Amino acid sequence: MTRLLASHLAASLAFGAAIVALSGSCADAQSGQDDMAAFPAAREGETRHVIRLEPGRDEDAMRVSVIVGRTQWVDCNRVIFSTHLEERTAEGWGFNYYVVTGGGPAASTMMACPDTQKTQQFVRSADEPMLRYNSRLPLVVYAPNELEVRYRIWRAGPEQTPGDR
């Protein structure tokens, strides 16, 4: 019986030590001290984009829209291309990060333009996911070098409307 009790006590202490170590890591991330240690370095041909969000009053009512795109020459037609934001987890840490996949050639409407003049514009991907707002950890996105990562903050208003029954 004492051997079983000692085994349970040792397991409880190990679990408690793991919790303390993890909370220390989160505290370091929250204070900005080496908060990128959990995330892998960018691979060849890609860039690691880091978005640091300001603390919000009600972060549960906020979202981050991730906008992936590239600047290119376009005419009067609507241009768009396809990417996907894949969620991954940093091994040993449990923090999420995102990897942009796709980004091939752009598709365009085929309207006849009144002139042949082209301008450089930011062309956005069709996929613009809304992610949870969390100011305690950086939002890390890995994208191919030729793509830009931008973001937009969304806030819900205070009003709520009940649904029909």
Side-chain angles (χ1 to χ4, degrees):
M1 179 71 170
T2 48
R3 182 178 288 160
L4 181 62
L5 186 57
S7 172
H8 282 289
L9 180 60
S12 296
L13 288 174
F15 180 72
I19 295 296
V20 168
L22 183 58
S23 65
S25 299
C26 292
D28 288 345
Q30 290 172 5
S31 69
Q33 297 175 359
D34 198 23
D35 60 353
M36 296 306 297
F39 302 101
R43 295 181 299 191
E44 186 176 332
E46 70 181 13
T47 303
R48 179 170 67 182
H49 301 269
V50 180
I51 300 169
R52 297 181 194 286
L53 303 169
E54 295 293 321
R57 186 182 316 174
D58 181 9
E59 292 188 5
D60 288 334
M62 299 169 73
R63 295 290 180 265
V64 180
S65 173
V66 177
I67 303 163
V68 176
R70 61 180 169 229
T71 302
Q72 66 183 58
W73 291 98
V74 296
D75 56 14
C76 71
N77 285 288
R78 171 123 168 85
V79 181
I80 200 163
F81 67 100
S82 179
T83 62
H84 178 70
L85 201 62
E86 183 180 305
E87 184 176 18
R88 296 189 185 166
T89 304
E91 266 187 59
W93 293 84
F95 300 145
N96 294 334
Y97 64 92
Y98 300 88
V99 176
V100 175
T101 57
S108 171
T109 56
M110 300 299 287
M111 299 185 306
C113 297
D115 59 33
T116 58
Q117 185 176 8
K118 292 188 175 189
T119 59
Q120 280 208 324
Q121 294 181 12
F122 182 73
V123 176
R124 295 158 55 154
S125 168
D127 183 34
E128 291 185 6
M130 299 280 270
L131 305 177
R132 182 176 163 260
Y133 192 100
N134 182 2
S135 64
R136 291 176 296 283
L137 290 173
L139 177 58
V140 181
V141 180
Y142 297 86
N145 289 337
E146 66 274 5
L147 298 179
E148 294 178 52
V149 174
R150 300 178 180 183
Y151 67 99
R152 179 180 293 146
I153 305 299
W154 295 86
R155 290 175 179 81
E159 63 279 340
Q160 297 179 10
T161 306
D164 293 338
R165 291 184 190 204

